[in-house]
Amino acid sequence: MYYVYFLLLSNNDIYKGSTEDIERRIAEHEKGKVRSTRHYRPLKFIGMEAYLLKSDALRREKFL
């Protein structure tokens, strides 16, 4: 399963990303290991969408 997820950053922007392991990826964001979100913590998990195909998840992320 592949996921597109949404995070609310401390500057009120919404970050969109995709991953195969949603729990690991959210933990990386929260620990500051992701360069693009490390300066915008604390983060709030807004939601996610699940896809069977990686190509569908990447297409959706790009669309958003």
Side-chain angles (χ1 to χ4, degrees):
M1 195 69 77
Y2 298 91
Y3 303 93
V4 176
Y5 60 94
F6 312 97
L7 301 173
L8 180 63
L9 306 177
S10 63
N11 66 353
N12 288 325
D13 283 345
I14 296 176
Y15 176 85
K16 298 159 286 287
S18 60
T19 185
E20 191 172 358
D21 185 347
I22 190 77
E23 292 175 5
R24 176 191 53 80
R25 191 62 173 158
I26 298 301
E28 289 174 348
H29 281 286
E30 290 174 345
K31 292 176 184 173
K33 292 184 177 182
V34 180
R35 179 182 290 174
S36 58
T37 61
R38 97 172 36 146
H39 300 293
Y40 301 104
R41 294 181 295 150
L43 310 164
K44 291 184 182 177
F45 179 76
I46 298 175
M48 67 180 181
E49 300 173 353
Y51 296 91
L52 291 175
L53 300 175
K54 184 177 183 177
S55 60
D56 289 342
L58 294 175
R59 188 176 314 119
R60 177 66 171 160
E61 179 189 6
K62 191 178 236 185
F63 172 77
L64 296 171

